[in-house]
């Protein structure tokens, strides 16, 4: 069974109907139209609101999407369209499941804007435009945080003053949840342990890890924001919080400057100047010392999280690599898991180099899998799941 055929835990029957999946970001809109698991159309509208761009705002961008679909005879007015599924970044503690969008839901997503000031407003703009274009059509919000809502208070709580934390909603939420949900399920199925214990390493430009048991997320590496955790393309990941105080007090940097430093000029870019892992690996192969340090910091952090999540889970059935780096870099997979044989973790060099679905040796206690993520398919599945549940009453 391939990772893209849309099957999962007996929900095949629910994968009927046509869903337009929209990922409306601050400067781009990505869309995919799916009939079940089949991709009918997809595309991206970029440079929204940038100087000199023909795409003035989200309304203009979504009209381009509507026109592109209509040109292929798949317009938004098509009676065959069952629903629209929107990616929404932050659901706070309000939304722990995909949710049919109503006025009240829109208002509650607005209340969460302070927690995701760049993302939620863009997501809302997408929702508002499509609701105006097709007011009769069911629309579903699928939250990036929802899959992580099952982490325990022990995992979710920062050890700071509780009154301050509660008043300001400071806690760990986690992100990339749609990907972690999809990949953990696919990985467990791929090794014949549906419902087993999975460590997912989602390594793209952003990167996050999760520990999943019986389909429930127990831990994840991103926190109140996507800055915490693994080393990323341009984000630092874990850092002594006092570094922020030091940058302010001693270096005299403003909060905006520190934000920019940690989110855009850190991670692999900060360490060696390149945020693209392909470029880092080319320089590494050519003996570049900065690239070597950057690569070793990246892999060391990953290994640390694998060890920590092994402890959280107690036993591990499969470690799943996904995202642009996780799916395509045998060197990252090999290096991050190097020396963990005593934990039952090993990578078979030939299988790893070929990027097979299972890259661990046959006799390994812990399987290592490469699972291409598919967030759009997962959003479509979850959207149809909500629609069919709603229809059943
Ligand atoms: P996003 O988080 O934006 O969705 P992706 O999941 O597409 O990003 O991952 C982008 C990252 O994947 C980039 O750092 C890119 O260098 C890396 N990548 C893509 N192909 C390869 C490859 N063959 N080897 C190593 N890294 C790769």
């Amino acid at each position: 069974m391939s990772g893209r055929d849309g099957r999962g835990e007996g929900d095949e029957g629910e994968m009927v109907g046509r869903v337009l999946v929209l990922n409306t970001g601050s400067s781009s809109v990505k869309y995919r139209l799916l009939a079940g698991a089949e991709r009918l159309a997809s595309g991206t509208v970029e440079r929204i609101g940038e100087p000199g761009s023909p795409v003035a705002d989200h309304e203009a961008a979504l009209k381009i999407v509507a026109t592109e679909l209509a040109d292929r005879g798949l317009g938004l007015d098509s009676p065959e369209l069952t629903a629209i599924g929107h990616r929404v970044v932050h659901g706070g503690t309000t939304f722990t499941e995909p949710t049919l969008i109503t006025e009240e839901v829109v208002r509650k997503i607005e209340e969460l804007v302070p927690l995701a000031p760049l993302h939620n407003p863009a997501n809302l703009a997408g929702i508002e435009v499509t609701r105006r274009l097709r007011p009769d059509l069911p629309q579903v919000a699928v939250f990036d945080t929802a899959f992580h809502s099952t982490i325990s208070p022990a995992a979710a709580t920062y050890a700071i003053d509780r009154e301050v934390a509660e008043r300001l909603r400071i806690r760990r939420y986690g992100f990339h949840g749609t990907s972690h949900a999809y990949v953990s399920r696919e990985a467990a199925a791929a090794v014949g342990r549906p419902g087993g214990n999975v460590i997912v390493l989602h390594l793209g430009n952003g990167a996050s890890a999760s520990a999943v048991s019986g389909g429930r997320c127990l831990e994840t590496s991103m926190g109140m924001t996507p800055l915490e955790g693994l080393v990323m393309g341009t984000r630092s990941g874990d850092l002594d919080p006092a570094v922020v105080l030091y940058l302010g007090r001693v270096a005299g940097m403003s909060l905006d400057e520190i934000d920019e430093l940690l989110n855009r000029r850190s991670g692999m870019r900060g360490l060696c100047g390149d945020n693209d892992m392909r470029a880092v690996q080319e320089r590494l192969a050519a003996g570049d010392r900065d690239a070597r340090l950057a690569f070793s910091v990246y892999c060391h952090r990953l290994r640390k999280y694998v060890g920590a999540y092994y402890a959280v889970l107690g036993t591990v059935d499969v470690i799943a690599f996904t995202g642009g780096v996780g799916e395509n870099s045998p060197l990252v997979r090999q290096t991050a898991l190097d020396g963990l044989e005593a934990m039952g973790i090993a990578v078979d060099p030939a299988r790893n180099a070929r990027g097979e679905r299972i890259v661990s040796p046959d006799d390994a206690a812990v399987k290592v899998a490469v699972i291409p993520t598919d967030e759009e398919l997962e959003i479509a599945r979850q959207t149809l799941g909500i629609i069919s549940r709603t229809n059943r009453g």
Side-chain angles (χ1 to χ4, degrees):
M1 146 175 171
S2 94
R4 294 187 179 271
D5 64 3
R7 277 177 231 164
E9 296 182 319
D11 62 356
E12 244 173 302
E14 290 178 19
M15 277 307 286
V16 290
R18 225 175 243 196
V19 179
L20 176 63
V21 175
L22 285 175
N23 181 352
T24 311
S26 54
S27 69
S28 71
V29 176
K30 293 192 192 118
Y31 70 93
R32 193 192 294 179
L33 181 66
L34 289 144
E38 185 195 347
R39 181 190 308 211
L40 301 180
S42 62
T44 308
V45 181
E46 287 174 310
R47 301 188 55 226
I48 299 169
E50 286 178 15
S53 166
V55 193
D57 53 22
H58 288 97
E59 170 126 27
L62 285 156
K63 287 202 169 135
I64 294 171
V65 172
T67 307
E68 287 184 10
L69 289 169
D71 287 348
R72 284 179 241 178
L74 300 165
L76 277 183
D77 54 354
S78 156
E80 284 166 294
L81 190 59
T82 314
I84 300 181
H86 293 269
R87 175 188 182 219
V88 179
V89 167
H90 217 307
T93 51
T94 315
F95 297 105
T96 57
E97 290 190 344
T99 305
L100 194 65
I101 296 172
T102 61
E103 273 311 316
E104 195 194 351
V105 169
V106 168
R107 211 171 43 247
K108 287 184 173 161
I109 297 172
E110 276 165 1
E111 284 170 15
L112 296 164
V113 164
L115 291 172
L118 293 179
H119 292 104
N120 275 28
N123 306 153
L124 278 167
I127 290 170
E128 275 157 24
V129 176
T130 52
R131 287 184 90 212
R132 242 185 295 131
L133 294 175
R134 274 299 302 271
D136 58 313
L137 195 66
Q139 310 215 15
V140 173
V142 178
F143 298 90
D144 245 30
T145 47
F147 183 63
H148 306 303
S149 65
T150 50
I151 67 174
S152 67
T157 308
Y158 290 117
I160 63 170
D161 184 288
R162 283 193 58 200
E163 188 280 320
V164 173
E166 279 169 23
R167 178 161 43 87
L168 295 168
R169 299 181 284 185
I170 299 169
R171 51 163 276 161
R172 307 187 61 252
Y173 296 98
F175 298 88
H176 287 152
T178 309
S179 177
H180 286 281
Y182 176 85
V183 171
S184 58
R185 198 173 55 232
E186 291 285 325
V191 300
R193 295 284 183 90
N197 287 354
V198 188
I199 296 174
V200 178
L201 303 171
H202 175 113
L203 313 176
N205 281 314
S208 60
S210 68
V212 180
S213 180
R216 284 169 66 85
C217 185
L218 303 185
E219 251 292 9
T220 192
S221 60
M222 285 176 167
M224 176 172 168
T225 78
L227 188 54
E228 190 178 342
L230 301 175
V231 177
M232 313 187 202
T234 67
R235 294 185 211 133
S236 63
D238 293 336
L239 187 78
D240 180 346
V243 170
V244 175
L245 309 178
Y246 180 87
L247 290 170
R249 289 192 187 125
V250 178
M253 289 173 73
S254 69
L255 290 177
D256 283 345
E257 285 168 343
I258 298 171
D259 186 335
E260 205 259 338
L261 175 75
L262 298 181
N263 276 298
R264 299 190 179 277
R265 283 195 287 127
S266 294
M268 299 307 272
R269 178 181 290 166
L271 287 166
C272 72
D274 267 310
N275 63 297
D276 189 311
M277 188 56 88
R278 280 166 293 204
V280 175
Q281 288 184 190
E282 278 166 27
R283 287 171 53 191
L284 182 70
D288 182 292
R289 286 177 56 187
D290 292 342
R292 187 169 65 202
L293 177 67
F295 190 81
S296 63
V297 173
Y298 185 96
C299 291
H300 177 79
R301 185 80 53 87
L302 265 175
R303 192 200 329 265
K304 229 164 67 165
Y305 269 89
V306 169
Y309 287 7
Y310 201 125
V312 166
L313 288 165
T315 61
V316 178
D317 293 303
V318 52
I319 298 172
F321 284 87
T322 194
V325 176
E327 292 166 28
N328 298 302
S329 175
L331 189 63
V332 166
R333 297 192 294 260
Q334 178 76 55
T335 311
L337 300 183
D338 194 30
L340 302 182
E341 289 80 7
M343 296 166 77
I345 300 170
V347 170
D348 177 88
R351 286 179 180 173
N352 188 37
R354 288 194 296 268
E356 290 182 8
R357 197 161 169 82
I358 307 295
V359 297
S360 45
D362 288 336
D363 60 353
V366 177
K367 307 298 178 207
V368 180
V370 179
I371 308 286
T373 192
D374 197 335
E375 289 164 281
E376 284 79 10
L377 177 57
E378 182 66 17
I379 290 173
R381 268 183 187 170
Q382 294 194 11
T383 298
L384 285 176
I386 290 295
I387 303 293
S388 62
R389 253 184 278 165
T390 311
N391 290 347
R392 281 201 298 268

